[in-house]
Amino acid sequence: MKKQAKKPITGRFIVDDDAEMGRSFFVPTRMIKVYAKMLDDAHIPYRLWSPRKHLYVSADTYDSLYKDAKSKNIIIDFFD
């Protein structure tokens, strides 16, 4: 019997720019869907890497999402 892999409990926002690729922060997985819908509604481009729940966004979008997540106290961890 195979051991089932644990689902990640966190999603991650990552800057989709070679110059700033190291910038990212983690939020609860459920928030990735919330923010993806918000970006869809605003017609803001992003890439979602689904198995790991990574959301790649532009640097400007990242900054605004970071401020929003920080104001709502939903950031779990971040790297800058």
Side-chain angles (χ1 to χ4, degrees):
M1 197 154 101
K2 274 188 173 180
K3 227 179 181 184
Q4 232 177 352
K6 287 185 180 180
K7 287 186 175 182
I9 57 164
T10 59
R12 185 175 182 183
F13 290 95
I14 304 171
V15 175
D16 195 13
D17 180 1
D18 292 339
E20 300 187 59
M21 202 58 178
R23 294 175 54 195
S24 67
F25 66 93
F26 292 89
V27 296
T29 304
R30 70 183 185 283
M31 294 309 297
I32 292 292
K33 287 181 182 176
V34 171
Y35 280 111
K37 179 160 179 19
M38 190 173 78
L39 293 172
D40 279 340
D41 292 346
H43 303 292
I44 297 173
Y46 66 89
R47 287 187 306 124
L48 176 64
W49 185 41
S50 199
R52 293 229 188 251
K53 302 295 185 225
H54 288 182
L55 199 67
Y56 292 87
V57 294
S58 71
D60 293 339
T61 304
Y62 173 90
D63 291 339
S64 62
L65 290 174
Y66 179 81
K67 285 178 191 167
D68 187 67
K70 191 171 176 103
S71 72
K72 294 176 181 170
N73 285 329
I74 58 171
I75 294 177
I76 295 172
D77 198 2
F78 74 95
F79 301 99
D80 208 0

